[in-house]
Amino acid sequence: MAGVDFVDVRKSFGQFPVIKGVNIEIEDGEFVILVGPSGCGKSTLLRMLAGLENITAGEIRIGDRVVNRLPPKDRDIAMVFQNYALYPHMTVADNMAFSLMLANKPRADIDKRVGVAAEILGLAKLLDRYPRQLSGGQRQRVAMGRAIVRDPQVFLFDEPLSNLDAKLRVAMRAEIKELHQRLKTTTVYVTHDQIEAMTMADKIVVMHDGIVEQIGAPLELYDHPANLFVAGFIGSPAMNMIRGRLHPKDPTAFMTADGTALPVARPTAAARGRDLVYGLRPEYMSLDPNGLPAEVVVIEPTGYETQMIARLGGNDVTCVFRERVNAKPGETIRLGIDGAHVHLFDAETGRRLF
Ligand code: ATP
């Protein structure tokens, strides 16, 4: 096993820079997820680590080796792709054994490794089947089996669950996480799905437009997003963002455009006199008879919680209540806001002030 380091890594396609100086330290055994919107450069970064794309500038290290110029086969990594890339004319066993056969490993060793991987992945009974005779989840497991048998220093996953239906995605998410807990192989995983990132990663790297916006543990990013981009990207439903300023005389009051005062528990000097964005996660509002009046716009019960869009201080805000709510669109309710969980962002730079 080994850690992975990206040191000021850059990549341009022609004149067009797509990776603009990325630094990421991944520790030995860590499960790191690169997440960000389509086109932010996460697949390119993964492909550079795999050796499938050359590096314009900077350095990539696996363990203590600089791998910039090493061909993929010499990097001691195994990659699982979105489309699984299974050979249709080979059985499950042969698909899993293929890379070992290419490497001229002894037959007995190959059989042993395939047997162990099949056991771990619950594929033991399917070894003689062909890919077309498998379900999507089983194919995904074979693709992982192919990676496991190689016992690499690093696993790379490129959106491995995106071809599966929602229910299977949730199940495979847990399987991959369990697999990592068992093998503890350093893993770099790319997805655009922030829920996948939140639920699986030891550490999340949030990317946007070729740069790293923030790196941290899932709940660290959730509770302390560095800027508006991360705040809006991590969390579902998304954080509510309301523009305004602090009251000039009362820094515990955030004034919206229509003059509504929203609570701020921890005012900060840096926020005074600036255009701000008030960031409020949907779960930090409650139904409170002493709260602010808001008009119900949409109400969506899911059974165990109720989501609502309400009009508050001239803004539509999303609320999530862990209770059933008896209200109809058009009615006025009262919303309490937990000011201790409010964030203030500088509207101009996007940076979180607290
Ligand atoms: P997605 O989630 O859609 O896969 P991504 O974050 O993985 O997106 P990349 O595939 O890394 O994004 O692409 C980053 C940028 O580089 C995009 O603007 C893309 O158009 C561009 N790009 C990727 N590959 C090439 C290429 N071979 N030639 C030119 N531009 C490319």
Side-chain angles (χ1 to χ4, degrees):
M1 292 209 303
V4 172
D5 280 328
F6 293 85
V7 185
D8 199 19
V9 170
R10 291 161 195 274
K11 173 76 182 172
S12 300
F13 289 108
Q15 293 297 311
F16 188 61
V18 296
I19 302 291
K20 304 169 184 170
V22 160
N23 291 285
I24 307 170
E25 274 179 42
I26 298 170
E27 281 170 37
D28 191 12
E30 228 173 6
F31 193 132
V32 169
I33 297 195
L34 310 181
V35 69
S38 183
C40 70
K42 51 200 188 295
S43 294
T44 303
L45 211 54
L46 196 75
R47 290 170 59 78
M48 289 197 285
L49 174 57
L52 303 173
E53 205 74 76
N54 60 27
I55 300 165
T56 306
E59 204 169 272
I60 297 181
R61 291 193 212 123
I62 299 177
D64 47 15
R65 297 181 303 162
V66 176
V67 299
N68 287 27
R69 297 191 187 289
L70 276 189
K73 67 177 176 47
D74 296 332
R75 294 191 181 201
D76 203 2
I77 51 164
M79 187 149 171
V80 179
F81 294 94
Q82 184 178 116
N83 58 8
Y84 322 142
L86 300 180
Y87 300 108
H89 58 288
M90 285 187 197
T91 62
V92 167
D94 287 345
N95 262 288
M96 283 166 60
F98 189 64
S99 67
L100 301 177
M101 295 198 292
L102 279 188
N104 284 321
K105 297 274 187 231
R107 188 73 233 184
D109 182 28
I110 295 179
D111 289 346
K112 187 168 160 222
R113 291 206 211 179
V114 169
V116 169
E119 205 55 55
I120 291 174
L121 294 165
L123 292 169
K125 294 209 172 77
L126 305 176
L127 286 171
D128 294 330
R129 292 222 195 150
Y130 289 87
R132 66 171 183 280
Q133 299 169 310
L134 301 176
S135 71
Q138 290 165 339
R139 276 181 217 158
Q140 178 58 54
R141 269 186 230 128
V142 178
M144 292 200 286
R146 260 194 334 198
I148 292 174
V149 295
R150 294 175 50 197
D151 190 22
Q153 285 197 311
V154 184
F155 283 132
L156 308 185
F157 288 90
D158 192 0
E159 305 238 7
L161 306 184
S162 57
N163 289 337
L164 303 178
D165 67 45
K167 205 168 164 190
L168 196 51
R169 259 205 317 266
V170 173
M172 290 304 293
R173 218 155 71 187
E175 280 193 31
I176 293 177
K177 192 167 169 174
E178 205 184 309
L179 186 70
H180 178 258
Q181 279 161 5
R182 183 161 174 171
L183 301 177
K184 300 212 163 42
T185 305
T186 309
T187 300
V188 188
Y189 184 112
V190 160
T191 179
H192 61 269
D193 180 346
Q194 61 89 26
I195 302 222
E196 236 169 86
M198 288 295 288
T199 51
M200 295 170 77
D202 293 325
K203 196 155 93 182
I204 298 177
V205 178
V206 181
M207 295 191 59
H208 178 212
D209 203 11
I211 62 159
V212 170
E213 293 278 359
Q214 193 174 0
I215 300 179
L219 294 179
E220 219 171 283
L221 299 193
Y222 190 86
D223 291 335
H224 305 287
N227 55 45
L228 282 171
F229 180 81
V230 177
F233 193 79
I234 298 285
S236 174
M239 185 186 281
N240 294 295
M241 293 179 179
I242 300 170
R243 293 185 75 102
R245 280 176 162 241
L246 292 186
H247 190 285
K249 298 221 174 68
D250 176 7
T252 65
F254 177 91
M255 306 307 293
T256 68
D258 78 345
T260 304
L262 304 177
V264 176
R266 294 166 296 167
T268 165
R272 291 197 183 189
R274 286 174 188 270
D275 288 332
L276 301 173
V277 175
Y278 185 89
L280 176 61
R281 294 226 179 257
E283 68 271 27
Y284 294 125
M285 281 174 279
S286 58
L287 296 170
D288 176 353
N290 301 316
L292 295 159
E295 185 191 325
V296 178
V297 179
V298 176
I299 183 157
E300 297 177 328
T302 68
Y304 74 100
E305 63 182 23
T306 306
Q307 284 194 28
M308 182 190 285
I309 298 174
R311 195 131 186 95
L312 170 70
N315 293 273
D316 280 352
V317 294
T318 303
C319 323
V320 176
F321 306 113
R322 304 262 151 74
E323 63 188 300
R324 301 199 174 183
V325 178
N326 200 0
K328 293 194 175 53
E331 279 179 19
T332 297
I333 53 164
R334 289 194 167 261
L335 285 178
I337 294 177
D338 182 351
H341 284 99
V342 163
H343 300 292
L344 290 186
F345 299 90
D346 186 317
E348 203 176 318
T349 63
R351 291 182 59 83
R352 188 166 64 93
L353 299 169
F354 69 85

PDB file of all heavy atoms in Angstrom, residues 225-249:
ATOM      1  N   PRO A 225     -18.074  24.725   5.547  1.00  0.00           N
ATOM      2  CA  PRO A 225     -17.690  24.924   4.143  1.00  0.00           C
ATOM      3  C   PRO A 225     -16.861  26.206   4.014  1.00  0.00           C
ATOM      4  O   PRO A 225     -17.196  27.226   4.622  1.00  0.00           O
ATOM      5  CB  PRO A 225     -19.033  25.045   3.421  1.00  0.00           C
ATOM      6  CG  PRO A 225     -20.013  25.464   4.482  1.00  0.00           C
ATOM      7  CD  PRO A 225     -19.517  24.879   5.762  1.00  0.00           C
ATOM      8  N   ALA A 226     -15.789  26.127   3.245  1.00  0.00           N
ATOM      9  CA  ALA A 226     -14.872  27.277   3.156  1.00  0.00           C
ATOM     10  C   ALA A 226     -15.483  28.427   2.368  1.00  0.00           C
ATOM     11  O   ALA A 226     -15.109  29.577   2.560  1.00  0.00           O
ATOM     12  CB  ALA A 226     -13.566  26.838   2.494  1.00  0.00           C
ATOM     13  N   ASN A 227     -16.399  28.103   1.471  1.00  0.00           N
ATOM     14  CA  ASN A 227     -16.935  29.154   0.597  1.00  0.00           C
ATOM     15  C   ASN A 227     -18.322  28.766   0.076  1.00  0.00           C
ATOM     16  O   ASN A 227     -18.810  27.660   0.346  1.00  0.00           O
ATOM     17  CB  ASN A 227     -15.950  29.427  -0.556  1.00  0.00           C
ATOM     18  CG  ASN A 227     -15.641  28.152  -1.313  1.00  0.00           C
ATOM     19  OD1 ASN A 227     -16.535  27.382  -1.618  1.00  0.00           O
ATOM     20  ND2 ASN A 227     -14.358  27.922  -1.610  1.00  0.00           N
ATOM     21  N   LEU A 228     -18.898  29.680  -0.677  1.00  0.00           N
ATOM     22  CA  LEU A 228     -20.267  29.471  -1.162  1.00  0.00           C
ATOM     23  C   LEU A 228     -20.368  28.262  -2.074  1.00  0.00           C
ATOM     24  O   LEU A 228     -21.377  27.559  -2.079  1.00  0.00           O
ATOM     25  CB  LEU A 228     -20.744  30.718  -1.931  1.00  0.00           C
ATOM     26  CG  LEU A 228     -21.184  31.896  -1.066  1.00  0.00           C
ATOM     27  CD1 LEU A 228     -21.405  33.128  -1.930  1.00  0.00           C
ATOM     28  CD2 LEU A 228     -22.460  31.544  -0.308  1.00  0.00           C
ATOM     29  N   PHE A 229     -19.309  28.006  -2.862  1.00  0.00           N
ATOM     30  CA  PHE A 229     -19.383  26.876  -3.773  1.00  0.00           C
ATOM     31  C   PHE A 229     -19.533  25.564  -3.000  1.00  0.00           C
ATOM     32  O   PHE A 229     -20.427  24.756  -3.267  1.00  0.00           O
ATOM     33  CB  PHE A 229     -18.158  26.805  -4.700  1.00  0.00           C
ATOM     34  CG  PHE A 229     -18.274  25.637  -5.629  1.00  0.00           C
ATOM     35  CD1 PHE A 229     -19.053  25.732  -6.766  1.00  0.00           C
ATOM     36  CD2 PHE A 229     -17.669  24.432  -5.324  1.00  0.00           C
ATOM     37  CE1 PHE A 229     -19.222  24.625  -7.587  1.00  0.00           C
ATOM     38  CE2 PHE A 229     -17.834  23.326  -6.141  1.00  0.00           C
ATOM     39  CZ  PHE A 229     -18.608  23.429  -7.285  1.00  0.00           C
ATOM     40  N   VAL A 230     -18.657  25.365  -2.024  1.00  0.00           N
ATOM     41  CA  VAL A 230     -18.706  24.125  -1.240  1.00  0.00           C
ATOM     42  C   VAL A 230     -20.019  24.057  -0.450  1.00  0.00           C
ATOM     43  O   VAL A 230     -20.670  23.013  -0.367  1.00  0.00           O
ATOM     44  CB  VAL A 230     -17.491  24.027  -0.300  1.00  0.00           C
ATOM     45  CG1 VAL A 230     -17.577  22.784   0.577  1.00  0.00           C
ATOM     46  CG2 VAL A 230     -16.198  24.012  -1.105  1.00  0.00           C
ATOM     47  N   ALA A 231     -20.424  25.191   0.101  1.00  0.00           N
ATOM     48  CA  ALA A 231     -21.669  25.231   0.881  1.00  0.00           C
ATOM     49  C   ALA A 231     -22.858  24.810   0.034  1.00  0.00           C
ATOM     50  O   ALA A 231     -23.747  24.094   0.488  1.00  0.00           O
ATOM     51  CB  ALA A 231     -21.893  26.640   1.423  1.00  0.00           C
ATOM     52  N   GLY A 232     -22.868  25.228  -1.227  1.00  0.00           N
ATOM     53  CA  GLY A 232     -23.989  24.904  -2.102  1.00  0.00           C
ATOM     54  C   GLY A 232     -23.905  23.497  -2.663  1.00  0.00           C
ATOM     55  O   GLY A 232     -24.920  22.888  -2.984  1.00  0.00           O
ATOM     56  N   PHE A 233     -22.684  22.977  -2.767  1.00  0.00           N
ATOM     57  CA  PHE A 233     -22.494  21.672  -3.404  1.00  0.00           C
ATOM     58  C   PHE A 233     -22.723  20.523  -2.428  1.00  0.00           C
ATOM     59  O   PHE A 233     -23.292  19.497  -2.781  1.00  0.00           O
ATOM     60  CB  PHE A 233     -21.089  21.577  -4.002  1.00  0.00           C
ATOM     61  CG  PHE A 233     -20.932  20.408  -4.913  1.00  0.00           C
ATOM     62  CD1 PHE A 233     -21.411  20.459  -6.213  1.00  0.00           C
ATOM     63  CD2 PHE A 233     -20.351  19.232  -4.469  1.00  0.00           C
ATOM     64  CE1 PHE A 233     -21.304  19.364  -7.049  1.00  0.00           C
ATOM     65  CE2 PHE A 233     -20.243  18.134  -5.290  1.00  0.00           C
ATOM     66  CZ  PHE A 233     -20.722  18.199  -6.592  1.00  0.00           C
ATOM     67  N   ILE A 234     -22.254  20.691  -1.194  1.00  0.00           N
ATOM     68  CA  ILE A 234     -22.358  19.622  -0.196  1.00  0.00           C
ATOM     69  C   ILE A 234     -23.650  19.815   0.596  1.00  0.00           C
ATOM     70  O   ILE A 234     -23.876  20.885   1.157  1.00  0.00           O
ATOM     71  CB  ILE A 234     -21.140  19.669   0.764  1.00  0.00           C
ATOM     72  CG1 ILE A 234     -19.835  19.427   0.003  1.00  0.00           C
ATOM     73  CG2 ILE A 234     -21.312  18.694   1.918  1.00  0.00           C
ATOM     74  CD1 ILE A 234     -19.549  18.022  -0.417  1.00  0.00           C
ATOM     75  N   GLY A 235     -24.466  18.763   0.639  1.00  0.00           N
ATOM     76  CA  GLY A 235     -25.727  18.828   1.389  1.00  0.00           C
ATOM     77  C   GLY A 235     -26.911  18.757   0.456  1.00  0.00           C
ATOM     78  O   GLY A 235     -26.919  19.402  -0.589  1.00  0.00           O
ATOM     79  N   SER A 236     -27.893  17.948   0.834  1.00  0.00           N
ATOM     80  CA  SER A 236     -29.087  17.800   0.012  1.00  0.00           C
ATOM     81  C   SER A 236     -30.286  17.572   0.921  1.00  0.00           C
ATOM     82  O   SER A 236     -30.253  16.653   1.730  1.00  0.00           O
ATOM     83  CB  SER A 236     -28.909  16.610  -0.928  1.00  0.00           C
ATOM     84  OG  SER A 236     -30.085  16.359  -1.626  1.00  0.00           O
ATOM     85  N   PRO A 237     -31.338  18.420   0.833  1.00  0.00           N
ATOM     86  CA  PRO A 237     -31.429  19.597  -0.014  1.00  0.00           C
ATOM     87  C   PRO A 237     -30.343  20.625   0.334  1.00  0.00           C
ATOM     88  O   PRO A 237     -29.813  20.623   1.436  1.00  0.00           O
ATOM     89  CB  PRO A 237     -32.827  20.157   0.287  1.00  0.00           C
ATOM     90  CG  PRO A 237     -33.406  19.346   1.375  1.00  0.00           C
ATOM     91  CD  PRO A 237     -32.500  18.232   1.698  1.00  0.00           C
ATOM     92  N   ALA A 238     -30.071  21.483  -0.633  1.00  0.00           N
ATOM     93  CA  ALA A 238     -28.945  22.414  -0.499  1.00  0.00           C
ATOM     94  C   ALA A 238     -29.191  23.482   0.575  1.00  0.00           C
ATOM     95  O   ALA A 238     -30.333  23.771   0.937  1.00  0.00           O
ATOM     96  CB  ALA A 238     -28.691  23.091  -1.840  1.00  0.00           C
ATOM     97  N   MET A 239     -28.096  24.051   1.040  1.00  0.00           N
ATOM     98  CA  MET A 239     -28.155  25.160   1.988  1.00  0.00           C
ATOM     99  C   MET A 239     -28.951  26.320   1.383  1.00  0.00           C
ATOM    100  O   MET A 239     -28.804  26.623   0.206  1.00  0.00           O
ATOM    101  CB  MET A 239     -26.722  25.607   2.306  1.00  0.00           C
ATOM    102  CG  MET A 239     -26.627  26.681   3.367  1.00  0.00           C
ATOM    103  SD  MET A 239     -24.935  27.298   3.581  1.00  0.00           S
ATOM    104  CE  MET A 239     -24.192  26.031   4.585  1.00  0.00           C
ATOM    105  N   ASN A 240     -29.778  26.952   2.186  1.00  0.00           N
ATOM    106  CA  ASN A 240     -30.459  28.179   1.741  1.00  0.00           C
ATOM    107  C   ASN A 240     -29.478  29.334   1.791  1.00  0.00           C
ATOM    108  O   ASN A 240     -28.678  29.437   2.737  1.00  0.00           O
ATOM    109  CB  ASN A 240     -31.634  28.485   2.664  1.00  0.00           C
ATOM    110  CG  ASN A 240     -32.715  27.444   2.560  1.00  0.00           C
ATOM    111  OD1 ASN A 240     -33.337  27.291   1.507  1.00  0.00           O
ATOM    112  ND2 ASN A 240     -32.938  26.704   3.647  1.00  0.00           N
ATOM    113  N   MET A 241     -29.524  30.185   0.780  1.00  0.00           N
ATOM    114  CA  MET A 241     -28.602  31.330   0.735  1.00  0.00           C
ATOM    115  C   MET A 241     -29.397  32.605   0.489  1.00  0.00           C
ATOM    116  O   MET A 241     -30.081  32.725  -0.519  1.00  0.00           O
ATOM    117  CB  MET A 241     -27.582  31.114  -0.367  1.00  0.00           C
ATOM    118  CG  MET A 241     -26.680  29.938  -0.029  1.00  0.00           C
ATOM    119  SD  MET A 241     -25.495  29.620  -1.288  1.00  0.00           S
ATOM    120  CE  MET A 241     -24.622  28.241  -0.557  1.00  0.00           C
ATOM    121  N   ILE A 242     -29.295  33.524   1.423  1.00  0.00           N
ATOM    122  CA  ILE A 242     -30.114  34.736   1.384  1.00  0.00           C
ATOM    123  C   ILE A 242     -29.189  35.946   1.428  1.00  0.00           C
ATOM    124  O   ILE A 242     -28.314  36.034   2.298  1.00  0.00           O
ATOM    125  CB  ILE A 242     -31.073  34.750   2.598  1.00  0.00           C
ATOM    126  CG1 ILE A 242     -31.978  33.508   2.550  1.00  0.00           C
ATOM    127  CG2 ILE A 242     -31.886  36.030   2.624  1.00  0.00           C
ATOM    128  CD1 ILE A 242     -32.786  33.290   3.811  1.00  0.00           C
ATOM    129  N   ARG A 243     -29.386  36.846   0.517  1.00  0.00           N
ATOM    130  CA  ARG A 243     -28.492  38.018   0.463  1.00  0.00           C
ATOM    131  C   ARG A 243     -28.972  39.113   1.411  1.00  0.00           C
ATOM    132  O   ARG A 243     -30.166  39.263   1.654  1.00  0.00           O
ATOM    133  CB  ARG A 243     -28.437  38.568  -0.966  1.00  0.00           C
ATOM    134  CG  ARG A 243     -27.764  37.604  -1.925  1.00  0.00           C
ATOM    135  CD  ARG A 243     -27.635  38.232  -3.277  1.00  0.00           C
ATOM    136  NE  ARG A 243     -26.587  39.225  -3.293  1.00  0.00           N
ATOM    137  CZ  ARG A 243     -25.369  39.010  -3.813  1.00  0.00           C
ATOM    138  NH1 ARG A 243     -25.073  37.857  -4.360  1.00  0.00           N
ATOM    139  NH2 ARG A 243     -24.459  39.960  -3.783  1.00  0.00           N
ATOM    140  N   GLY A 244     -28.021  39.873   1.929  1.00  0.00           N
ATOM    141  CA  GLY A 244     -28.381  40.986   2.810  1.00  0.00           C
ATOM    142  C   GLY A 244     -27.152  41.543   3.509  1.00  0.00           C
ATOM    143  O   GLY A 244     -26.020  41.322   3.052  1.00  0.00           O
ATOM    144  N   ARG A 245     -27.375  42.241   4.622  1.00  0.00           N
ATOM    145  CA  ARG A 245     -26.294  42.838   5.407  1.00  0.00           C
ATOM    146  C   ARG A 245     -26.635  42.752   6.880  1.00  0.00           C
ATOM    147  O   ARG A 245     -27.814  42.635   7.227  1.00  0.00           O
ATOM    148  CB  ARG A 245     -26.161  44.329   5.054  1.00  0.00           C
ATOM    149  CG  ARG A 245     -25.407  44.581   3.770  1.00  0.00           C
ATOM    150  CD  ARG A 245     -25.391  46.051   3.444  1.00  0.00           C
ATOM    151  NE  ARG A 245     -24.317  46.287   2.484  1.00  0.00           N
ATOM    152  CZ  ARG A 245     -23.264  47.079   2.697  1.00  0.00           C
ATOM    153  NH1 ARG A 245     -23.161  47.757   3.821  1.00  0.00           N
ATOM    154  NH2 ARG A 245     -22.335  47.207   1.785  1.00  0.00           N
ATOM    155  N   LEU A 246     -25.623  42.897   7.728  1.00  0.00           N
ATOM    156  CA  LEU A 246     -25.911  42.993   9.153  1.00  0.00           C
ATOM    157  C   LEU A 246     -26.537  44.351   9.435  1.00  0.00           C
ATOM    158  O   LEU A 246     -26.223  45.350   8.769  1.00  0.00           O
ATOM    159  CB  LEU A 246     -24.629  42.850   9.980  1.00  0.00           C
ATOM    160  CG  LEU A 246     -23.955  41.486   9.964  1.00  0.00           C
ATOM    161  CD1 LEU A 246     -22.787  41.463  10.939  1.00  0.00           C
ATOM    162  CD2 LEU A 246     -24.936  40.360  10.285  1.00  0.00           C
ATOM    163  N   HIS A 247     -27.413  44.399  10.452  1.00  0.00           N
ATOM    164  CA  HIS A 247     -28.003  45.670  10.879  1.00  0.00           C
ATOM    165  C   HIS A 247     -26.868  46.560  11.392  1.00  0.00           C
ATOM    166  O   HIS A 247     -26.024  46.103  12.178  1.00  0.00           O
ATOM    167  CB  HIS A 247     -29.020  45.389  11.994  1.00  0.00           C
ATOM    168  CG  HIS A 247     -29.849  46.562  12.327  1.00  0.00           C
ATOM    169  ND1 HIS A 247     -29.363  47.630  13.057  1.00  0.00           N
ATOM    170  CD2 HIS A 247     -31.129  46.861  12.017  1.00  0.00           C
ATOM    171  CE1 HIS A 247     -30.316  48.527  13.182  1.00  0.00           C
ATOM    172  NE2 HIS A 247     -31.411  48.087  12.564  1.00  0.00           N
ATOM    173  N   PRO A 248     -26.816  47.851  10.965  1.00  0.00           N
ATOM    174  CA  PRO A 248     -25.669  48.689  11.357  1.00  0.00           C
ATOM    175  C   PRO A 248     -25.515  48.849  12.869  1.00  0.00           C
ATOM    176  O   PRO A 248     -24.401  49.003  13.367  1.00  0.00           O
ATOM    177  CB  PRO A 248     -25.963  50.043  10.694  1.00  0.00           C
ATOM    178  CG  PRO A 248     -27.313  49.933  10.063  1.00  0.00           C
ATOM    179  CD  PRO A 248     -27.757  48.512  10.072  1.00  0.00           C
ATOM    180  N   LYS A 249     -26.605  48.761  13.594  1.00  0.00           N
ATOM    181  CA  LYS A 249     -26.499  48.950  15.051  1.00  0.00           C
ATOM    182  C   LYS A 249     -26.578  47.629  15.815  1.00  0.00           C
ATOM    183  O   LYS A 249     -26.186  47.558  16.974  1.00  0.00           O
ATOM    184  CB  LYS A 249     -27.628  49.862  15.536  1.00  0.00           C
ATOM    185  CG  LYS A 249     -27.577  51.252  14.919  1.00  0.00           C
ATOM    186  CD  LYS A 249     -27.911  52.298  15.974  1.00  0.00           C
ATOM    187  CE  LYS A 249     -27.724  53.707  15.432  1.00  0.00           C
ATOM    188  NZ  LYS A 249     -28.704  54.059  14.381  1.00  0.00           N
TER     189      LYS A 249
END
